[in-house]
Amino acid sequence: MKIQLITTLLFCSLAQHAHAAAPTTEKATAPLPQTGYFIDSPVTGLYYKTSSNLQGFTDKGAFHYNPGDVVSFFLGTNEHSYLLTQLSGQEVITPTLSSSTPSRSINMTRLLLSLDNTPQDRAEIELVSKMLSDPAFQQQLRRLDLNVLDSIKDSLTFDLVSTQEAVDHLNQSQHYIEHHFTSDEVIYSPLNVKLRNIIIKKKNHLGRACVLDLRYIDRPVYNTPIGEISYKITPTHLIEYPSIGDYFNSCYLDRNKSITSVIKEPISNFDDWLSMAACSMTGCTRSDLNGFAVEDHDDEGDWKYRTMAISFDPTTQLFMEKVQGLGPKAGIQHANKNEMIWFTYPENKGRQIDYNGIWQQTTYQQTDILESCLQIKDHTIFQAPLNGDSCPTDLLAYNRNVTTEYADMWWVKNSTSYVQLAQMNVTVRWYPLGQPAHYTTWEYLPAGQHWDQGILYRYQQTITPNTNGSDDINTYAISEFKKVAGDQ
């Protein structure tokens, strides 16, 4: 098989039969709220609110949601506090499931551990409510870019735990989940489904940011940091379809190794592979598709130290795989700062996110919080001021053309009104008129049945090369976009 495909198939140690049985309901017409758990160790004191208006604080991880809900989790006392994550409601939610980027997931754990009121006992995380209710502290939280937390740790008013402590804790949390949430319930059946696997290179082995330069995006041979594979698992074969492939030279795709014809290999060739390939015949449980592991990895004789994480959202049917290199340690000298993301989903889903409509924008820049509304239609972006707490419904209010100010929102130029998931999860270099290069990292974790209820993050950054080949990444503005209305 030509492809590197899917670290899915390498996750022997990640998760062995760990899944919490779904609560049953007596009345199908009026199901009772279900109980889910936010586990980074069970977290107490995390405020949550669902799209059906269930709300409260997690208690030893427990929260309540209705089927089909999107759940928002906040560090604070209400929905106006710092938004930690927003995703589809499900039985077990972890930092791994809560973000599409490897570093953000680990840094989310670092933040929660740093705010734990019982640091001597990590079996449970109890959040410091008095600190979180302080407006000045909330202001500090809103300036955090969890993707590059180390760049501002010296300015924080609390001690930040190390990456290694967070990694060890996530590994322990995985054992907790395996021990406490066990079920053979099938949550996904990928057999005979044509799947698309998108690969995004975030950093190379030296820690250099992998950036898509928007000056070259229309060139047919431009090699981006995005790869792609299409395949199907059948009872007898694994079938690969023509695609640009998933081979990279450092940050960028090697199109010379694309897949140019249909390839069929006997499924018996993959008997040793686990995760989605292994469970496809009988159906996949939650533990087949969720897990976290720390490992020493033998890369053709070159040993590396890294984390590997997988997660699956039954509502969106999005399977994520994330790898983050942890650099050298005792016995391993490789710099290994690689970061990569894999998204796997039914082919008809990930290219059909409708970006047309009205988006509410909140921007955190230094001590300022700026709010506005954007209308995106016909490849053009118009702006209007917020009307109280909501965006105007009168389209005539959107009379300021700001398309050039959002040239980093590159999917607006798509020939259709749809954006691809990969386009919303990549770092771009762009050039405002008459200005030097700007950098934006986009992040979007789909939520809801139609993938349109997630929060889109825009991290405006400076990227400075270091002499050792890595990059310093500093974020000077963070914007959250929430789609509040479709095209009208």
Side-chain angles (χ1 to χ4, degrees):
M1 190 173 188
K2 292 183 179 180
I3 57 178
Q4 298 170 349
L5 193 55
I6 336 187
T7 51
T8 50
L9 314 170
L10 302 176
F11 275 86
C12 314
S13 62
L14 279 185
Q16 298 296 324
H17 309 295
H19 178 56
T24 58
T25 56
E26 295 182 358
K27 296 181 179 180
T29 55
L32 295 174
Q34 299 184 357
T35 300
Y37 294 87
F38 194 106
I39 303 296
D40 188 9
S41 289
V43 179
T44 292
L46 193 61
Y47 185 82
Y48 72 91
K49 184 174 182 179
T50 77
S51 52
S52 63
N53 286 321
L54 296 175
Q55 55 193 292
F57 292 92
T58 57
D59 182 8
K60 292 182 171 54
F63 64 93
H64 301 293
Y65 68 100
N66 286 311
D69 267 350
V70 171
V71 187
S72 303
F73 293 93
F74 303 87
L75 282 173
T77 56
N78 54 43
E79 66 269 27
H80 302 297
S81 305
Y82 174 73
L83 176 63
L84 188 66
T85 186
Q86 179 170 300
L87 67 170
S88 305
Q90 49 205 288
E91 294 170 82
V92 180
I93 289 177
T94 66
T96 295
L97 186 66
S98 297
S99 172
S100 62
T101 61
S103 53
R104 183 179 173 89
S105 293
I106 291 174
N107 285 336
M108 190 179 297
T109 291
R110 294 176 70 188
L111 181 60
L112 290 171
L113 289 175
S114 300
L115 298 176
D116 184 7
N117 200 35
T118 58
Q120 70 282 359
D121 180 9
R122 296 302 198 188
E124 180 182 343
I125 294 176
E126 296 182 8
L127 296 176
V128 186
S129 58
K130 184 176 181 180
M131 180 185 293
L132 292 176
S133 63
D134 182 0
F137 188 73
Q138 283 292 321
Q139 186 71 31
Q140 184 179 175
L141 288 176
R142 289 188 174 96
R143 297 198 300 270
L144 293 182
D145 178 356
L146 290 180
N147 294 291
V148 290
L149 198 53
D150 281 323
S151 65
I152 62 165
K153 65 180 181 180
D154 293 338
S155 65
L156 300 176
T157 57
F158 59 94
D159 294 330
L160 187 65
V161 306
S162 68
T163 296
Q164 187 60 57
E165 184 175 348
V167 166
D168 292 341
H169 183 78
L170 282 168
N171 207 22
Q172 293 166 7
S173 296
Q174 178 60 32
H175 297 315
Y176 176 91
I177 292 169
E178 292 171 7
H179 182 71
H180 288 85
F181 299 90
T182 303
S183 173
D184 293 328
E185 180 190 1
V186 171
I187 63 170
Y188 188 55
S189 299
L191 192 66
N192 293 318
V193 177
K194 191 172 182 181
L195 301 169
R196 189 173 297 272
N197 180 244
I198 302 296
I199 310 95
I200 304 173
K201 196 75 177 284
K202 301 294 288 184
K203 289 183 180 179
N204 72 2
H205 69 286
L206 294 174
R208 175 147 292 172
C210 299
V211 175
L212 186 152
D213 194 316
L214 295 185
R215 291 177 301 178
Y216 311 132
I217 195 61
D218 294 327
R219 295 184 181 180
V221 294
Y222 176 50
N223 293 328
T224 73
I226 304 172
E228 180 181 312
I229 293 168
S230 294
Y231 69 100
K232 181 189 292 184
I233 302 169
T234 75
T236 57
H237 290 83
L238 192 148
I239 305 171
E240 301 169 61
Y241 299 95
S243 63
I244 58 176
D246 67 344
Y247 284 88
F248 291 85
N249 288 326
S250 186
C251 278
Y252 300 103
L253 188 69
D254 183 354
R255 293 178 184 266
N256 293 324
K257 296 183 178 179
S258 60
I259 301 172
T260 58
S261 61
V262 175
I263 301 172
K264 296 178 66 175
E265 294 195 54
I267 197 67
S268 59
N269 289 0
F270 311 102
D271 285 345
D272 295 335
W273 292 13
L274 297 185
S275 214
M276 192 172 283
C279 64
S280 60
M281 301 302 163
T282 57
C284 302
T285 66
R286 198 204 66 81
S287 61
D288 289 324
L289 302 179
N290 291 270
F292 181 90
V294 187
E295 68 167 17
D296 298 346
H297 170 61
D298 183 5
D299 186 4
E300 299 180 354
D302 191 5
W303 283 86
K304 300 174 181 177
Y305 181 45
R306 66 181 184 178
T307 66
M308 305 182 74
I310 57 175
S311 59
F312 180 76
D313 180 343
T315 299
T316 61
Q317 297 185 348
L318 175 65
F319 181 60
M320 289 191 297
E321 307 156 79
K322 296 179 282 191
V323 171
Q324 179 170 358
L326 296 176
K329 70 166 189 171
I332 295 181
Q333 302 304 313
H334 199 287
N336 191 24
K337 292 294 185 180
N338 270 307
E339 286 193 28
M340 297 183 71
I341 311 168
W342 290 259
F343 295 125
T344 303
Y345 47 81
E347 191 171 61
N348 63 342
K349 278 187 170 286
R351 292 171 173 261
Q352 298 296 315
I353 306 172
D354 191 350
Y355 63 78
N356 278 342
I358 295 174
W359 296 72
Q360 186 168 330
Q361 175 186 8
T362 304
T363 298
Y364 307 101
Q365 187 172 5
Q366 301 301 321
T367 59
D368 296 328
I369 300 178
L370 309 174
E371 295 185 286
S372 65
C373 301
L374 301 179
Q375 182 204 24
I376 305 177
K377 185 176 182 179
D378 299 330
H379 316 293
T380 308
I381 305 173
F382 291 93
Q383 188 177 63
L386 202 66
N387 184 8
D389 292 329
S390 60
C391 290
T393 56
D394 182 1
L395 298 185
L396 294 178
Y398 298 85
N399 53 23
R400 181 169 175 253
N401 190 328
V402 293
T403 307
T404 58
E405 296 176 30
Y406 291 87
D408 53 342
M409 201 174 276
W410 58 300
W411 56 86
V412 172
K413 293 184 178 180
N414 287 354
S415 57
T416 69
S417 63
Y418 298 110
V419 55
Q420 300 176 30
L421 182 60
Q423 291 180 300
M424 303 172 85
N425 283 278
V426 69
T427 301
V428 297
R429 182 189 295 119
W430 58 294
Y431 299 84
L433 188 63
Q435 299 182 39
H438 283 42
Y439 294 89
T440 296
T441 292
W442 293 103
E443 180 186 353
Y444 184 74
L445 179 64
Q449 186 69 36
H450 301 291
W451 289 32
D452 60 351
Q453 296 183 60
I455 300 294
L456 174 64
Y457 289 95
R458 180 198 197 197
Y459 300 100
Q460 294 174 264
Q461 301 168 324
T462 59
I463 298 180
T464 307
N466 295 317
T467 55
N468 64 1
S470 66
D471 283 332
D472 273 339
I473 303 175
N474 290 286
T475 302
Y476 60 87
I478 301 171
S479 297
E480 300 169 357
F481 298 85
K482 182 177 181 180
K483 190 173 182 181
V484 295
D487 191 16
Q488 300 180 38

